[in-house]
Amino acid sequence: MTSPARCFSPADMAPRRTRPNPPAQPAPAAAAAPGRQPEPAAAHPAEAYTPRTLTPAEALAPGRIGKRERFRNQFQHGLRRSCMHPHARLVALTLLGYANDKTGLLSPTYRPTVKQLADHTGLLPAQVQVQLQVLTQRGWLYSRPIAADPCAGTTGLCLAVPAGVLEQLRAARAKETAPRGEAPVSATPADEPDTPPTPGSARR
């Protein structure tokens, strides 16, 4: 027995509407590794620091400490990078304990004698004398007149960082503080020293 034929209604004869596909969602961004922050893009490209070209006499002259620099820190870092004998560095660090933190000046009132330096360092007085000469010849120690009271008119010893060593310290510092993958930043005008020293009074 056959089934009766199906009768189609007008709704069956009307064209069917297809359901629109939902809009594609953007792929989620990859999550950063835990504990690591994304590095911000640099606003301006870094400029490479180029140390100044100095003559041998200029390299041994007292360096000028900038406004953002501290004499004591630069002196200690410079001694570590120097190739001087350990006795010379020992005498220099001992003198630093008597010097002014900002200028390196050794006032005649508080300046240690050769015997006191020998007692502090464990060296012989003759060895201390030799190392004082080495420090003077290398530009780490020089003499200059004192204008401030109560020692006005006298000559005092002054510690210094040679200009050549100071340029090396600035270049190394710029390289260490530069962002990863960028060139070191050159010194700005704010890093320039306040007042130049008196190289004419330096002992050679």
Side-chain angles (χ1 to χ4, degrees):
M1 182 176 182
T2 60
S3 60
R6 180 183 176 185
C7 297
F8 294 95
S9 65
D12 295 332
M13 302 300 295
R16 296 184 178 181
R17 297 180 180 179
T18 58
R19 187 175 182 179
N21 296 327
Q25 298 294 333
R36 182 177 180 181
Q37 299 296 334
E39 299 180 359
H44 302 284
E47 299 179 0
Y49 180 87
T50 304
R52 294 182 302 161
T53 302
L54 304 174
T55 63
E58 292 174 342
L60 293 177
R64 298 183 296 178
I65 303 299
K67 296 179 180 179
R68 300 179 182 177
E69 298 172 338
R70 295 184 179 181
F71 170 79
R72 178 176 289 271
N73 293 343
Q74 296 294 82
F75 190 87
Q76 292 174 336
H77 293 330
L79 282 179
R80 294 178 189 145
R81 296 178 63 91
S82 69
C83 299
M84 291 190 299
H85 194 275
H87 289 175
R89 287 183 281 181
L90 178 60
V91 173
L93 289 175
T94 305
L95 289 174
L96 184 62
Y98 291 89
N100 185 285
D101 289 343
K102 297 181 179 180
T103 63
L105 178 65
L106 291 160
S107 174
T109 306
Y110 306 103
R111 185 173 62 195
T113 62
V114 173
K115 184 179 183 307
Q116 289 175 329
L117 289 175
D119 294 338
H120 294 333
T121 59
L123 302 176
L124 298 176
Q127 293 177 311
V128 173
Q129 289 281 15
V130 171
Q131 302 310 323
L132 290 175
Q133 295 178 3
V134 171
L135 293 174
T136 302
Q137 295 172 357
R138 299 288 184 88
W140 296 90
L141 183 65
Y142 70 100
S143 61
R144 75 175 191 183
I146 301 177
D149 292 333
C151 302
T154 60
T155 301
L157 292 178
C158 190
L159 297 176
V161 183
V165 177
L166 197 57
E167 287 297 314
Q168 296 177 5
L169 292 176
R170 288 169 178 166
R173 177 62 178 172
K175 185 177 180 180
E176 292 174 359
T177 56
R180 183 179 301 178
E182 295 185 3
V185 180
S186 60
T188 61
D191 294 328
E192 292 299 325
D194 299 326
T195 56
T198 55
S201 60
R203 293 170 54 187
R204 300 296 182 193

